[in-house]
Amino acid sequence: MMSLPSSWPDPRIFSAPILLILIGFSFVGADGAKRNVGEAPKSPSCNNSFESVKVKSWVGGAEGKTLVGMNAEFGALLPSQAEKAIRLPAVFANPSNCCSSSSSKLAGFILLSIRGECDFMQKAKVAQSGGAAALVVINDNEDLSEMVCSNSDTALNISIPVIMISKSGGEALNKSMGDGQKVELLLYAPKRPVVDFSVAFLWMMVVGTILCASCWSQLTAPQQADERYNELSPKKSSKAETPNNDSENEVLNISAMGAIFFIITASAFLVLLYFFMSSWFVWVLIILFCIGGVEGMHACIVSLVLRKGRNCGHKTVNLPCFGEVSIFSLVVLLFCVAFAIFWVTTRKASYSWVGQDVLGICLIITVLQMAQLPNIKVATILLCCAFFYDIFWVFISQVIFNDSVMVSVARGDNSGGESIPMLLRVPRIFDPWGGYDMIGFGDIIFPGLLLSFSFRYDKANKKGILNGYFLWLMIGYGFGLIFTYVGLYLMDGHGQPALLYLVPCTLGLVFILGFVRGELTHLWSYTMEEEPAASSREHSVHA
């Protein structure tokens, strides 16, 4: 067995700044969801919902890139299946803005037009009068703007589909046509499934993570817990060790002031991300995520293996700066580092979500072992602050910043194509639009701290499964996640503050059960010294 010299600080203390950054992100959503409908005049011929459109292309007979567009509030609706759509050649309007009658032959063609100089309804009228089968407007930037009806044309009947594509997509088509190649397009608008099985898988993964983290001390056996963080640290000789080393079994005991300070700091960091989001900033988050993920993965693997094979940690090697180190622990560390490097290099591959989730789950389990709530009083302060934090930055921040700060950060706006790693995500396998269902670390860790407390409380007070709190809180958390995804569906896929649903289903349930059982006062003022494991030294964390 190896332990830290008493003069050395606990290595987990150095992880606090990393964890502060990583776990403060709280968001549930699905990327690529349906877009907002803007305020515009309504009429029977001007009431389409704004939905994404697929634009399949063929260049010179060979299938090319599939672009993503958005339909207008007016015009004909596109079929939902590619088999029911018609593949037609494309032609550019002449003049290119399509504000006046085109000199190009339009009958039987899909007309391409640049944006500008006249409204969208005027372009549609010109295209339709020329006999075009559809109109594709090329935007002047990478966003897809909502093409709404003008005030004077709400009664006009446009019978052809009108869609918009991004600037880069239009430039690619223009280049192909400029090279003299025939470009054909096929337009259709596939529907998203009402329920994607990825949500169920993500639900099981999140609930299973909290269950494992709460029961981790039982899964790894109490006598092995002291080796979770010390295998790579300089150690004393076995003769110098004492059975009750003070550096063992340390936890970061969250205080009331620490809970408030954490939420304030997390808010400040979120605003910093919103205003200064860039590719290099995301790279900083990726590096911090990898450091935390490697530490968590190392701790999980070592503690699980040593539970069955205690002799694995006996063989050691002397390393500069580290002294005598367990060979097994060193091999596990190298494996974890290689795993994180592999994920970083393949983070944009279709399978990269697996590596991100593995690192994230290990990090979450380690955090819930390292940080603990002492009682319901601190839990109430932390979760209530997190409750309003989540609601404010998802919904109310739109009033101040003209954008949802949390959703904007989650989308990775201005990040140069990089995405933030503080999420568990699962691909939407049965969704024709692809994308991912995702949940932020904060939506797992904040309630997870309360569930871990309930598990320790039940164990310390010798409560059974039914008359305890842990089982009912696990059920409450599971239902809270279900309510979250129902809200996500009802809000057409717009990001949801998951803690809006999770806090009432967990913290609220504790208060109800505690009141009914007459144990609320004990839960409120409960102290860690009442637990059997109270001999371990605790730190009060204020950050």
Side-chain angles (χ1 to χ4, degrees), residues 333-354:
L333 176 66
L334 294 177
F335 168 77
C336 295
V337 171
F339 186 91
I341 293 174
F342 177 77
W343 172 76
V344 171
T345 56
T346 61
R347 67 191 182 282
K348 294 186 178 180
S350 59
Y351 54 82
S352 66
W353 64 275
V354 177

PDB file of all heavy atoms in Angstrom, residues 333-354:
ATOM      1  N   LEU A 333      -2.079   4.561 -15.976  1.00  0.00           N
ATOM      2  CA  LEU A 333      -1.996   5.984 -16.316  1.00  0.00           C
ATOM      3  C   LEU A 333      -1.623   6.179 -17.773  1.00  0.00           C
ATOM      4  O   LEU A 333      -2.231   6.996 -18.481  1.00  0.00           O
ATOM      5  CB  LEU A 333      -0.985   6.685 -15.412  1.00  0.00           C
ATOM      6  CG  LEU A 333      -0.743   8.164 -15.732  1.00  0.00           C
ATOM      7  CD1 LEU A 333      -2.011   8.974 -15.467  1.00  0.00           C
ATOM      8  CD2 LEU A 333       0.420   8.725 -14.935  1.00  0.00           C
ATOM      9  N   LEU A 334      -0.630   5.420 -18.243  1.00  0.00           N
ATOM     10  CA  LEU A 334      -0.212   5.539 -19.650  1.00  0.00           C
ATOM     11  C   LEU A 334      -1.354   5.151 -20.580  1.00  0.00           C
ATOM     12  O   LEU A 334      -1.556   5.780 -21.628  1.00  0.00           O
ATOM     13  CB  LEU A 334       1.017   4.660 -19.904  1.00  0.00           C
ATOM     14  CG  LEU A 334       2.300   5.077 -19.165  1.00  0.00           C
ATOM     15  CD1 LEU A 334       3.410   4.081 -19.444  1.00  0.00           C
ATOM     16  CD2 LEU A 334       2.723   6.486 -19.586  1.00  0.00           C
ATOM     17  N   PHE A 335      -2.108   4.134 -20.207  1.00  0.00           N
ATOM     18  CA  PHE A 335      -3.266   3.738 -21.021  1.00  0.00           C
ATOM     19  C   PHE A 335      -4.305   4.859 -21.067  1.00  0.00           C
ATOM     20  O   PHE A 335      -4.854   5.159 -22.133  1.00  0.00           O
ATOM     21  CB  PHE A 335      -3.891   2.468 -20.444  1.00  0.00           C
ATOM     22  CG  PHE A 335      -5.243   2.152 -21.029  1.00  0.00           C
ATOM     23  CD1 PHE A 335      -5.349   1.586 -22.291  1.00  0.00           C
ATOM     24  CD2 PHE A 335      -6.411   2.436 -20.326  1.00  0.00           C
ATOM     25  CE1 PHE A 335      -6.596   1.303 -22.842  1.00  0.00           C
ATOM     26  CE2 PHE A 335      -7.656   2.154 -20.864  1.00  0.00           C
ATOM     27  CZ  PHE A 335      -7.747   1.585 -22.129  1.00  0.00           C
ATOM     28  N   CYS A 336      -4.575   5.476 -19.918  1.00  0.00           N
ATOM     29  CA  CYS A 336      -5.573   6.550 -19.855  1.00  0.00           C
ATOM     30  C   CYS A 336      -5.130   7.757 -20.677  1.00  0.00           C
ATOM     31  O   CYS A 336      -5.946   8.378 -21.373  1.00  0.00           O
ATOM     32  CB  CYS A 336      -5.813   6.962 -18.407  1.00  0.00           C
ATOM     33  SG  CYS A 336      -6.555   5.675 -17.386  1.00  0.00           S
ATOM     34  N   VAL A 337      -3.851   8.097 -20.609  1.00  0.00           N
ATOM     35  CA  VAL A 337      -3.325   9.215 -21.398  1.00  0.00           C
ATOM     36  C   VAL A 337      -3.449   8.905 -22.887  1.00  0.00           C
ATOM     37  O   VAL A 337      -3.857   9.761 -23.688  1.00  0.00           O
ATOM     38  CB  VAL A 337      -1.868   9.516 -21.020  1.00  0.00           C
ATOM     39  CG1 VAL A 337      -1.251  10.520 -21.985  1.00  0.00           C
ATOM     40  CG2 VAL A 337      -1.775  10.041 -19.592  1.00  0.00           C
ATOM     41  N   ALA A 338      -3.088   7.667 -23.280  1.00  0.00           N
ATOM     42  CA  ALA A 338      -3.203   7.277 -24.689  1.00  0.00           C
ATOM     43  C   ALA A 338      -4.657   7.322 -25.148  1.00  0.00           C
ATOM     44  O   ALA A 338      -4.957   7.747 -26.279  1.00  0.00           O
ATOM     45  CB  ALA A 338      -2.625   5.876 -24.883  1.00  0.00           C
ATOM     46  N   PHE A 339      -5.572   6.908 -24.275  1.00  0.00           N
ATOM     47  CA  PHE A 339      -7.006   6.940 -24.597  1.00  0.00           C
ATOM     48  C   PHE A 339      -7.456   8.372 -24.841  1.00  0.00           C
ATOM     49  O   PHE A 339      -8.187   8.649 -25.810  1.00  0.00           O
ATOM     50  CB  PHE A 339      -7.797   6.318 -23.453  1.00  0.00           C
ATOM     51  CG  PHE A 339      -9.264   6.168 -23.736  1.00  0.00           C
ATOM     52  CD1 PHE A 339      -9.762   5.005 -24.292  1.00  0.00           C
ATOM     53  CD2 PHE A 339     -10.157   7.192 -23.451  1.00  0.00           C
ATOM     54  CE1 PHE A 339     -11.116   4.861 -24.560  1.00  0.00           C
ATOM     55  CE2 PHE A 339     -11.511   7.065 -23.709  1.00  0.00           C
ATOM     56  CZ  PHE A 339     -11.997   5.892 -24.268  1.00  0.00           C
ATOM     57  N   ALA A 340      -7.039   9.305 -23.968  1.00  0.00           N
ATOM     58  CA  ALA A 340      -7.432  10.710 -24.123  1.00  0.00           C
ATOM     59  C   ALA A 340      -6.833  11.310 -25.391  1.00  0.00           C
ATOM     60  O   ALA A 340      -7.513  12.064 -26.110  1.00  0.00           O
ATOM     61  CB  ALA A 340      -6.992  11.507 -22.901  1.00  0.00           C
ATOM     62  N   ILE A 341      -5.577  10.980 -25.692  1.00  0.00           N
ATOM     63  CA  ILE A 341      -4.940  11.496 -26.911  1.00  0.00           C
ATOM     64  C   ILE A 341      -5.661  10.975 -28.146  1.00  0.00           C
ATOM     65  O   ILE A 341      -5.900  11.712 -29.116  1.00  0.00           O
ATOM     66  CB  ILE A 341      -3.446  11.118 -26.936  1.00  0.00           C
ATOM     67  CG1 ILE A 341      -2.700  11.866 -25.823  1.00  0.00           C
ATOM     68  CG2 ILE A 341      -2.827  11.442 -28.293  1.00  0.00           C
ATOM     69  CD1 ILE A 341      -1.252  11.444 -25.673  1.00  0.00           C
ATOM     70  N   PHE A 342      -6.027   9.692 -28.115  1.00  0.00           N
ATOM     71  CA  PHE A 342      -6.756   9.112 -29.253  1.00  0.00           C
ATOM     72  C   PHE A 342      -8.088   9.826 -29.443  1.00  0.00           C
ATOM     73  O   PHE A 342      -8.494  10.103 -30.581  1.00  0.00           O
ATOM     74  CB  PHE A 342      -6.986   7.616 -29.014  1.00  0.00           C
ATOM     75  CG  PHE A 342      -7.780   6.949 -30.093  1.00  0.00           C
ATOM     76  CD1 PHE A 342      -7.187   6.625 -31.309  1.00  0.00           C
ATOM     77  CD2 PHE A 342      -9.129   6.662 -29.918  1.00  0.00           C
ATOM     78  CE1 PHE A 342      -7.922   6.018 -32.319  1.00  0.00           C
ATOM     79  CE2 PHE A 342      -9.869   6.063 -30.918  1.00  0.00           C
ATOM     80  CZ  PHE A 342      -9.262   5.738 -32.122  1.00  0.00           C
ATOM     81  N   TRP A 343      -8.782  10.118 -28.338  1.00  0.00           N
ATOM     82  CA  TRP A 343     -10.062  10.834 -28.467  1.00  0.00           C
ATOM     83  C   TRP A 343      -9.859  12.225 -29.054  1.00  0.00           C
ATOM     84  O   TRP A 343     -10.637  12.661 -29.920  1.00  0.00           O
ATOM     85  CB  TRP A 343     -10.746  10.959 -27.099  1.00  0.00           C
ATOM     86  CG  TRP A 343     -11.956  11.843 -27.187  1.00  0.00           C
ATOM     87  CD1 TRP A 343     -13.173  11.535 -27.701  1.00  0.00           C
ATOM     88  CD2 TRP A 343     -12.028  13.222 -26.799  1.00  0.00           C
ATOM     89  NE1 TRP A 343     -14.008  12.616 -27.652  1.00  0.00           N
ATOM     90  CE2 TRP A 343     -13.334  13.669 -27.096  1.00  0.00           C
ATOM     91  CE3 TRP A 343     -11.127  14.102 -26.214  1.00  0.00           C
ATOM     92  CZ2 TRP A 343     -13.750  14.975 -26.844  1.00  0.00           C
ATOM     93  CZ3 TRP A 343     -11.541  15.410 -25.952  1.00  0.00           C
ATOM     94  CH2 TRP A 343     -12.837  15.831 -26.262  1.00  0.00           C
ATOM     95  N   VAL A 344      -8.825  12.930 -28.616  1.00  0.00           N
ATOM     96  CA  VAL A 344      -8.572  14.285 -29.121  1.00  0.00           C
ATOM     97  C   VAL A 344      -8.310  14.252 -30.623  1.00  0.00           C
ATOM     98  O   VAL A 344      -8.837  15.073 -31.376  1.00  0.00           O
ATOM     99  CB  VAL A 344      -7.389  14.931 -28.374  1.00  0.00           C
ATOM    100  CG1 VAL A 344      -6.987  16.234 -29.058  1.00  0.00           C
ATOM    101  CG2 VAL A 344      -7.771  15.209 -26.920  1.00  0.00           C
ATOM    102  N   THR A 345      -7.507  13.296 -31.068  1.00  0.00           N
ATOM    103  CA  THR A 345      -7.155  13.244 -32.491  1.00  0.00           C
ATOM    104  C   THR A 345      -8.321  12.786 -33.363  1.00  0.00           C
ATOM    105  O   THR A 345      -8.338  13.069 -34.567  1.00  0.00           O
ATOM    106  CB  THR A 345      -5.952  12.307 -32.712  1.00  0.00           C
ATOM    107  OG1 THR A 345      -6.255  11.006 -32.171  1.00  0.00           O
ATOM    108  CG2 THR A 345      -4.710  12.860 -32.012  1.00  0.00           C
ATOM    109  N   THR A 346      -9.289  12.087 -32.780  1.00  0.00           N
ATOM    110  CA  THR A 346     -10.433  11.592 -33.563  1.00  0.00           C
ATOM    111  C   THR A 346     -11.744  12.208 -33.099  1.00  0.00           C
ATOM    112  O   THR A 346     -12.810  11.642 -33.357  1.00  0.00           O
ATOM    113  CB  THR A 346     -10.524  10.058 -33.442  1.00  0.00           C
ATOM    114  OG1 THR A 346     -10.730   9.699 -32.060  1.00  0.00           O
ATOM    115  CG2 THR A 346      -9.258   9.394 -33.959  1.00  0.00           C
ATOM    116  N   ARG A 347     -11.676  13.371 -32.439  1.00  0.00           N
ATOM    117  CA  ARG A 347     -12.865  13.943 -31.808  1.00  0.00           C
ATOM    118  C   ARG A 347     -13.940  14.350 -32.810  1.00  0.00           C
ATOM    119  O   ARG A 347     -15.095  14.559 -32.424  1.00  0.00           O
ATOM    120  CB  ARG A 347     -12.476  15.154 -30.960  1.00  0.00           C
ATOM    121  CG  ARG A 347     -11.972  16.346 -31.747  1.00  0.00           C
ATOM    122  CD  ARG A 347     -11.366  17.408 -30.859  1.00  0.00           C
ATOM    123  NE  ARG A 347     -10.928  18.559 -31.632  1.00  0.00           N
ATOM    124  CZ  ARG A 347      -9.807  18.592 -32.330  1.00  0.00           C
ATOM    125  NH1 ARG A 347      -9.008  17.533 -32.355  1.00  0.00           N
ATOM    126  NH2 ARG A 347      -9.475  19.673 -33.009  1.00  0.00           N
ATOM    127  N   LYS A 348     -13.606  14.463 -34.101  1.00  0.00           N
ATOM    128  CA  LYS A 348     -14.603  14.823 -35.094  1.00  0.00           C
ATOM    129  C   LYS A 348     -15.110  13.620 -35.876  1.00  0.00           C
ATOM    130  O   LYS A 348     -15.919  13.765 -36.792  1.00  0.00           O
ATOM    131  CB  LYS A 348     -14.027  15.866 -36.058  1.00  0.00           C
ATOM    132  CG  LYS A 348     -13.725  17.200 -35.377  1.00  0.00           C
ATOM    133  CD  LYS A 348     -13.305  18.259 -36.373  1.00  0.00           C
ATOM    134  CE  LYS A 348     -13.046  19.600 -35.678  1.00  0.00           C
ATOM    135  NZ  LYS A 348     -12.638  20.661 -36.632  1.00  0.00           N
ATOM    136  N   ALA A 349     -14.632  12.437 -35.511  1.00  0.00           N
ATOM    137  CA  ALA A 349     -15.105  11.216 -36.161  1.00  0.00           C
ATOM    138  C   ALA A 349     -16.492  10.846 -35.634  1.00  0.00           C
ATOM    139  O   ALA A 349     -16.908  11.286 -34.559  1.00  0.00           O
ATOM    140  CB  ALA A 349     -14.110  10.080 -35.920  1.00  0.00           C
ATOM    141  N   SER A 350     -17.186  10.011 -36.390  1.00  0.00           N
ATOM    142  CA  SER A 350     -18.559   9.656 -36.020  1.00  0.00           C
ATOM    143  C   SER A 350     -18.625   8.856 -34.721  1.00  0.00           C
ATOM    144  O   SER A 350     -19.656   8.857 -34.045  1.00  0.00           O
ATOM    145  CB  SER A 350     -19.204   8.844 -37.146  1.00  0.00           C
ATOM    146  OG  SER A 350     -18.458   7.661 -37.394  1.00  0.00           O
ATOM    147  N   TYR A 351     -17.528   8.181 -34.364  1.00  0.00           N
ATOM    148  CA  TYR A 351     -17.520   7.355 -33.157  1.00  0.00           C
ATOM    149  C   TYR A 351     -16.895   8.053 -31.960  1.00  0.00           C
ATOM    150  O   TYR A 351     -16.760   7.453 -30.889  1.00  0.00           O
ATOM    151  CB  TYR A 351     -16.740   6.055 -33.427  1.00  0.00           C
ATOM    152  CG  TYR A 351     -15.343   6.286 -33.968  1.00  0.00           C
ATOM    153  CD1 TYR A 351     -14.276   6.577 -33.113  1.00  0.00           C
ATOM    154  CD2 TYR A 351     -15.090   6.231 -35.332  1.00  0.00           C
ATOM    155  CE1 TYR A 351     -13.006   6.800 -33.612  1.00  0.00           C
ATOM    156  CE2 TYR A 351     -13.825   6.454 -35.839  1.00  0.00           C
ATOM    157  CZ  TYR A 351     -12.782   6.732 -34.971  1.00  0.00           C
ATOM    158  OH  TYR A 351     -11.516   6.958 -35.470  1.00  0.00           O
ATOM    159  N   SER A 352     -16.509   9.316 -32.090  1.00  0.00           N
ATOM    160  CA  SER A 352     -15.792  10.009 -31.020  1.00  0.00           C
ATOM    161  C   SER A 352     -16.640  10.206 -29.770  1.00  0.00           C
ATOM    162  O   SER A 352     -16.108  10.403 -28.673  1.00  0.00           O
ATOM    163  CB  SER A 352     -15.290  11.366 -31.514  1.00  0.00           C
ATOM    164  OG  SER A 352     -16.375  12.235 -31.796  1.00  0.00           O
ATOM    165  N   TRP A 353     -17.966  10.124 -29.913  1.00  0.00           N
ATOM    166  CA  TRP A 353     -18.838  10.309 -28.749  1.00  0.00           C
ATOM    167  C   TRP A 353     -18.589   9.231 -27.701  1.00  0.00           C
ATOM    168  O   TRP A 353     -18.773   9.486 -26.498  1.00  0.00           O
ATOM    169  CB  TRP A 353     -20.302  10.290 -29.182  1.00  0.00           C
ATOM    170  CG  TRP A 353     -20.769   8.988 -29.752  1.00  0.00           C
ATOM    171  CD1 TRP A 353     -20.651   8.561 -31.045  1.00  0.00           C
ATOM    172  CD2 TRP A 353     -21.419   7.928 -29.040  1.00  0.00           C
ATOM    173  NE1 TRP A 353     -21.185   7.313 -31.193  1.00  0.00           N
ATOM    174  CE2 TRP A 353     -21.665   6.897 -29.981  1.00  0.00           C
ATOM    175  CE3 TRP A 353     -21.821   7.750 -27.728  1.00  0.00           C
ATOM    176  CZ2 TRP A 353     -22.291   5.709 -29.635  1.00  0.00           C
ATOM    177  CZ3 TRP A 353     -22.440   6.569 -27.361  1.00  0.00           C
ATOM    178  CH2 TRP A 353     -22.668   5.565 -28.308  1.00  0.00           C
ATOM    179  N   VAL A 354     -18.143   8.054 -28.131  1.00  0.00           N
ATOM    180  CA  VAL A 354     -17.880   6.972 -27.174  1.00  0.00           C
ATOM    181  C   VAL A 354     -16.743   7.367 -26.236  1.00  0.00           C
ATOM    182  O   VAL A 354     -16.850   7.259 -25.009  1.00  0.00           O
ATOM    183  CB  VAL A 354     -17.545   5.659 -27.908  1.00  0.00           C
ATOM    184  CG1 VAL A 354     -17.200   4.560 -26.905  1.00  0.00           C
ATOM    185  CG2 VAL A 354     -18.704   5.226 -28.792  1.00  0.00           C
TER     186      VAL A 354
END
